[in-house]
């Protein structure tokens, strides 16, 4: 089996370090990290960094594997998972996402996202957010629940390219764009799916939205009670247990 991980914003693949270590302890060592352009890897010249551009990027990455993979998406990585699998569900054996609520018709972007979607305000906010030394940026990320080791690695790759990618992505995703895309969410039901619901996540929408989206996507629901947006660094052992139980029941046996 191959597990593929896709992270989100404003992150790099380092966000997965604690979870990957836990998976390895459980014998899951064929793990590949797919980094969206601009988020810990270079932003190619001419890449528009829109919702559709990231959809096409992820489809291209999944096409490189010899066989369908077990795909896990976090934050915008979960969003890219959704848009890609609406088009090409056969590219995965199973999927898991903590961001399905993005596709609910009445989902409202959180305040920070709306700031990024506003010309001028978004630029000013990101200039402030990415100011200071990597250590200072890491300290701010720690306050949101990211582990120190991961925060330091992520802070080291935050810069102008990530700012450009954030602004383009969020502005292309302003409503009603995501609601329109969400009309195709049922396509995900053709593959075993898992909706991860971290109850203390302030960015993922209400639990009602997340459960409703999971039902439309034909997904099981796993509640990570008390964990926040960065559940994979807060309690990676619990995250690994939930994922492995799902894969054993729904993916590895097929």
């Amino acid at each position: 089996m191959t597990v593929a991980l896709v992270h989100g914003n404003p992150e790099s693949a380092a966000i997965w370090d604690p979870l990957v270590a836990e998976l390895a302890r459980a014998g899951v060592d064929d793990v590949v990290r797919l980094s969206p352009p601009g988020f810990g890897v270079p932003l190619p010249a001419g890449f528009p960094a829109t919702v559709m551009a990231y959809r096409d990027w992820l489809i291209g990455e999944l096409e490189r594997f010899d066989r369908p993979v077990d795909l896990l998406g976090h934050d915008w990585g979960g969003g890219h998972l959704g848009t890609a699998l609406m088009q090409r569900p056969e590219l995965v054996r199973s999927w898991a996402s903590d961001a399905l609520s993005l596709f609910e018709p009445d989902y409202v972007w959180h305040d920070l996202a709306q700031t990024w979607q506003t010309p001028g305000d978004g630029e000013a906010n990101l200039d402030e957010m990415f100011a200071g030394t990597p250590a200072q940026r890491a300290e701010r990320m720690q306050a949101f629940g990211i582990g120190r080791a991961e925060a330091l690695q992520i802070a080291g790759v935050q810069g102008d390219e990530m700012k450009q990618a954030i602004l383009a992505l969020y502005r292309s995703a302003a409503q009603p764009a995501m609601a329109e895309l969400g009309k195709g969410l049922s396509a995900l039901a053709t593959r075993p799916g898992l909706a991860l619901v971290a109850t203390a996540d302030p960015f993922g929408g209400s639990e009602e939205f997340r459960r409703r989206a999971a039902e439309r996507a034909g997904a099981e629901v796993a509640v990570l009670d008390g964990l926040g947006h960065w559940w994979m660094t807060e309690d990676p052992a619990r995250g690994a247990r939930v994922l492995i139980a799902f894969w054993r029941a729904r993916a590895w046996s097929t």
Side-chain angles (χ1 to χ4, degrees):
M1 64 165 291
T2 299
V3 172
L5 310 176
V6 189
H7 63 269
N9 165 64
E11 305 162 357
S12 76
I15 199 71
W16 296 116
D17 284 354
L19 181 66
V20 169
E22 291 295 333
L23 293 175
R25 291 187 186 97
V28 182
D29 53 11
D30 186 3
V31 179
V32 178
R33 309 184 205 198
L34 305 176
S35 295
F39 293 92
V41 295
L43 188 66
F47 186 79
T50 61
V51 173
M52 293 295 94
Y54 283 109
R55 177 199 67 183
D56 295 343
W57 161 81
L58 182 54
I59 288 174
E61 292 296 306
L62 295 173
E63 288 176 332
R64 297 175 186 270
F65 292 98
D66 294 333
R67 61 185 184 274
V69 300
D70 298 308
L71 182 63
L72 168 61
H74 159 64
D75 185 79
W76 260 115
H80 305 328
L81 176 154
T83 56
L85 298 188
M86 287 178 202
Q87 297 294 313
R88 299 289 304 280
E90 78 281 0
L91 293 174
V92 303
R93 182 169 58 171
S94 73
W95 59 267
S97 171
D98 62 10
L100 289 182
S101 60
L102 294 179
F103 299 105
E104 276 302 286
D106 43 0
Y107 175 78
V108 176
W109 280 109
H110 54 84
D111 290 347
L112 192 52
Q114 292 187 48
T115 297
W116 295 331
Q117 289 167 344
T118 304
D121 290 350
E123 285 81 354
N125 176 269
L126 288 174
D127 285 344
E128 180 179 354
M129 183 170 141
F130 286 175
T133 66
Q136 290 170 328
R137 292 196 296 274
E139 186 175 348
R140 292 194 289 269
M141 283 188 285
Q142 283 182 264
F144 280 101
I146 298 178
R148 177 169 175 77
E150 297 76 50
L152 283 168
Q153 291 186 68
I154 293 168
V157 297
Q158 291 174 331
D160 288 341
E161 287 192 337
M162 191 178 288
K163 291 179 191 177
Q164 180 182 339
I166 291 169
L167 294 173
L169 176 57
Y170 277 89
R171 289 172 184 177
S172 73
Q175 296 291 22
M178 299 306 292
E180 286 296 315
L181 284 169
K183 293 177 180 178
L185 193 61
S186 62
L188 275 65
T190 62
R191 290 293 184 269
L194 180 68
L196 296 162
V197 177
T199 60
D201 181 356
F203 304 115
S206 69
E207 185 170 340
E208 176 189 355
F209 280 13
R210 289 184 271 186
R211 287 184 176 276
R212 191 192 308 164
E215 183 176 359
R216 292 200 295 131
E220 298 177 16
V221 174
V223 176
L224 301 174
D225 190 42
L227 295 186
H229 189 68
W230 287 283
W231 52 269
M232 72 294 298
T233 70
E234 290 180 68
D235 194 342
R238 197 195 323 178
R241 288 195 300 270
V242 166
L243 289 163
I244 291 171
F246 166 68
W247 291 328
R248 282 177 174 161
R250 298 294 303 276
W252 295 350
S253 60
T254 59

